[in-house]
Amino acid sequence: MGEGSKIQWTHHTFNPWRGCTHVSPGCEHCYAEALSKRNPAQLGTWGAGGTRVVASEAYWKQPERWNRAAEAAGERHRVFCASLADVFEDRPELVEPRERLWRLIVATPHLDWLLLTKRPENIARLLGPRGINFYAVEGRVPCPQPNVWLGTTVEDQRRADERIPILLDTPAAVRFLSCEPLLGPVDLARWLPHIVLRRSEHDRLTPDVAGALREVLHAVVREDGGPWIHWVIVGGESGPKARPMDLAWARSLVAQGRVACVPVFVKQMGARPVYEVDHRGGNGEDVRVLGATSLYTVPLRHRAGGDPDEWPADLRVREFPEVR
């Protein structure tokens, strides 16, 4: 997605520091941790007793250049912060660099900063830095910094139940979920907008009428503002130890977003996309028995399942939220 990042849903990736600690099953095969073992001096070491390495001065200047380029082009550019750490990890040595990050965000209004965390319980406390008016107040209503998108990772239903309510309690221009690595089915119904099309009603509409109706409802949702989830990212796990992602789980999230008029971005199938098959089948398929479930492993050339041309057509969905 443009210069600066290989992550398809962002233009740039910015890591003000590197290093983190596991907090849930989604962390088990963390690619950033694997990278850090090759170069701990630059990428830190994982764990509560590990190190956090702050980026260089030259690196900190990059967002200022991105901001100028976006302004000159009359565009908004998305910045994912951070892929090699967690912005809301609460450690004493991160107080100063985090406050420097807040000042940088305020100083780059043409960039939309995507802050993704597995620690949403820390957001409200750590998003109020000293001496920085991060939340403007109009009347009695706190208004978030308009270029801050807050997201949390929900790899399974338990993490959805734990983290999403906390995220929704925090004002943000956009609230989003990263369902990656998707490790099980996730039901988001209670946190999506209540203005929905029933699936049965949606399926009876012609594509043109359904699309027009979604646009109208999406406009209502956008003006309402929340507290809702405004965007959902879906992806399977990559790497040699990747856990399987059932295509049915991804399909469910796409369908949930569609009927609630919430955009969904399917990032990748992961290294082990699967779907259930009947035991009575047998045409030479690669059937692997995991527990009591027979699954068909989807053969993909891309090692992370990141090429949409290889996916089933109904999963080639890459939508973005509209920024007010």
Side-chain angles (χ1 to χ4, degrees), residues 272-286:
R272 293 190 63 195
V274 300
Y275 63 87
E276 294 187 23
V277 297
D278 195 307
H279 281 286
R280 294 169 298 177
N283 297 314
E285 301 102 327
D286 178 16

Side-chain angles (χ1 to χ4, degrees), residues 13-125:
T13 302
F14 183 73
N15 286 285
W17 59 85
R18 296 81 185 253
C20 198
T21 301
H22 290 193
V23 293
S24 67
C27 303
E28 186 174 335
H29 300 145
C30 178
Y31 73 92
E33 180 182 17
L35 291 173
S36 73
K37 292 177 180 178
R38 305 174 196 170
N39 188 4
Q42 292 293 322
L43 300 180
T45 55
W46 255 241
T51 59
R52 305 296 179 262
V53 179
V54 178
S56 68
E57 288 299 312
Y59 186 88
W60 277 90
K61 294 183 182 299
Q62 290 186 49
E64 296 175 356
R65 295 198 298 272
W66 302 337
N67 184 68
R68 290 193 294 269
E71 181 180 17
E75 301 171 346
R76 302 200 61 77
H77 290 175
R78 293 177 299 277
V79 179
F80 173 34
C81 180
S83 63
L84 303 176
D86 190 322
V87 170
F88 295 102
E89 185 185 23
D90 190 6
R91 294 170 63 100
E93 70 270 36
L94 298 181
V95 171
E96 292 300 328
R98 183 162 37 238
E99 293 193 359
R100 181 178 182 180
L101 173 63
W102 301 154
R103 291 191 291 270
L104 180 62
I105 290 173
V106 172
T108 52
H110 298 278
L111 303 179
D112 289 317
W113 289 80
L114 282 62
L115 309 182
L116 177 63
T117 183
K118 291 184 176 71
R119 298 167 171 84
E121 66 277 8
N122 293 341
I123 294 177
R125 180 165 45 86

Side-chain angles (χ1 to χ4, degrees), residues 59-288:
Y59 186 88
W60 277 90
K61 294 183 182 299
Q62 290 186 49
E64 296 175 356
R65 295 198 298 272
W66 302 337
N67 184 68
R68 290 193 294 269
E71 181 180 17
E75 301 171 346
R76 302 200 61 77
H77 290 175
R78 293 177 299 277
V79 179
F80 173 34
C81 180
S83 63
L84 303 176
D86 190 322
V87 170
F88 295 102
E89 185 185 23
D90 190 6
R91 294 170 63 100
E93 70 270 36
L94 298 181
V95 171
E96 292 300 328
R98 183 162 37 238
E99 293 193 359
R100 181 178 182 180
L101 173 63
W102 301 154
R103 291 191 291 270
L104 180 62
I105 290 173
V106 172
T108 52
H110 298 278
L111 303 179
D112 289 317
W113 289 80
L114 282 62
L115 309 182
L116 177 63
T117 183
K118 291 184 176 71
R119 298 167 171 84
E121 66 277 8
N122 293 341
I123 294 177
R125 180 165 45 86
L126 300 181
L127 201 59
R130 298 167 294 182
I132 304 174
N133 188 17
F134 211 71
Y135 281 85
V137 176
E138 298 177 2
R140 297 183 178 180
V141 181
C143 301
Q145 188 69 22
N147 62 335
V148 172
W149 300 14
L150 293 178
T152 192
T153 300
V154 291
E155 62 264 41
D156 54 28
Q157 191 64 50
R158 175 180 169 181
R159 259 43 66 166
D161 294 341
E162 293 173 350
R163 294 172 179 169
I164 295 176
I166 301 172
L167 178 66
L168 294 183
D169 280 341
T170 309
V174 171
R175 298 183 191 88
F176 68 99
L177 303 179
S178 175
C179 300
E180 182 190 7
L182 186 58
L183 303 179
V186 179
D187 183 355
L188 300 176
R190 78 194 81 166
W191 305 294
L192 296 178
H194 296 162
I195 303 174
V196 300
L197 289 173
R198 293 179 185 173
R199 184 63 183 270
S200 59
E201 295 171 346
H202 178 276
D203 290 346
R204 286 199 296 268
L205 300 176
T206 66
D208 289 344
V209 172
L213 186 53
R214 282 199 304 272
E215 286 297 318
V216 172
L217 295 181
H218 183 62
V220 174
V221 169
R222 188 171 64 250
E223 290 304 315
D224 175 60
W228 311 118
I229 295 302
H230 302 113
W231 190 35
V232 179
I233 301 168
V234 181
E237 189 169 47
S238 58
K241 298 180 180 180
R243 289 160 285 186
M245 183 189 76
D246 193 325
L247 298 189
W249 306 339
R251 286 192 168 104
S252 173
L253 288 170
V254 169
Q256 291 177 59
R258 177 160 295 174
V259 298
C261 303
V262 170
V264 176
F265 188 102
V266 181
K267 179 189 170 211
Q268 62 185 37
M269 295 293 100
R272 293 190 63 195
V274 300
Y275 63 87
E276 294 187 23
V277 297
D278 195 307
H279 281 286
R280 294 169 298 177
N283 297 314
E285 301 102 327
D286 178 16
V287 176
R288 312 224 177 134

